Amino acid sequence: MIRNIFSEFKKFAMRGNVMDMAVGIIIGAAFTKIVDSLVKDIMMPPLGLLLGKIDFANLFFVLKDGSVPAPYASIDAAKAAGAVTLNVGFFINAIISFVIVAFAVFLLIKAMNTLQTKLLEKQKEEVAPAAPTTKKCPYCKSEIDIEATRCPHCTSELKD
């Protein structure tokens, strides 16, 4: 029984869909790191400067003081003091990262759909409709060979 379960699992794991999904997850994780760096290191510093030198990485509100009373210079200092904080900056970074990833996925899917549409149109153009091989008898309306001179059903002589 256990051997059968492992055999079924091996078949499942080695199917193309599972392997494709695994590759997608790995690439997605790497892409997420790139987007996080883009947001934190490239986009947020200029945005913070434009909004009055706000460092979004350290944008937080103290909900409850720790062993050392507020104010705290950074989130790390607040955590070290045992304070309870509402980390708004991390949330803003996460939202911006999500929007960038969602837009990138949108562009990827849009490109794939456009390519697929073009391929389908090309296939339709390549497959020309076949010449008809049959015709209808004008008298009995039976389907007959296109080269027939007499209907095999009603024996009428066909004029072409």
Side-chain angles (χ1 to χ4, degrees):
M1 179 171 162
I2 292 175
R3 188 174 242 184
N4 188 25
I5 291 173
F6 283 122
S7 173
E8 287 181 35
F9 177 73
K10 182 179 174 184
K11 285 180 189 176
F12 169 77
M14 298 313 280
R15 287 183 14 204
N17 295 347
V18 175
M19 299 306 281
D20 291 343
M21 186 175 70
V23 169
I25 290 170
I26 291 167
I27 290 173
F31 183 68
T32 300
K33 288 181 182 180
I34 291 169
V35 170
D36 282 344
S37 176
L38 173 70
V39 170
K40 290 177 188 172
D41 303 328
I42 306 296
M43 293 178 67
M44 295 313 275
L47 186 62
L49 282 174
L50 288 174
L51 297 175
K53 297 183 180 180
I54 296 174
D55 179 10
F56 281 98
N58 278 314
L59 182 59
F60 67 99
F61 298 102
V62 177
L63 299 177
K64 182 180 176 196
D65 285 343
S67 58
V68 176
Y72 303 106
S74 67
I75 292 175
D76 292 333
K79 285 183 181 180
V84 178
T85 60
L86 188 64
N87 303 326
V88 177
F90 290 151
F91 183 69
I92 292 171
N93 284 347
I95 289 173
I96 293 172
S97 294
F98 171 77
V99 169
I100 291 171
V101 169
F103 186 68
V105 169
F106 166 76
L107 291 177
L108 178 67
I109 290 174
K110 182 174 173 54
M112 288 176 52
N113 287 342
T114 302
L115 180 64
Q116 186 176 21
T117 302
K118 287 181 181 179
L119 288 174
L120 287 175
E121 288 173 0
K122 188 175 180 181
Q123 285 177 349
K124 286 179 183 177
E125 290 173 3
E126 289 175 359
V127 179
T133 58
T134 60
K135 62 182 177 183
K136 286 201 177 218
C137 171
Y139 302 103
C140 70
K141 306 297 182 198
S142 298
E143 198 78 21
I144 57 174
D145 189 272
I146 196 138
E147 295 179 6
T149 56
R150 189 175 287 274
C151 178
H153 302 283
C154 69
T155 67
S156 297
E157 200 170 316
L158 304 172
K159 299 172 188 159
D160 261 353

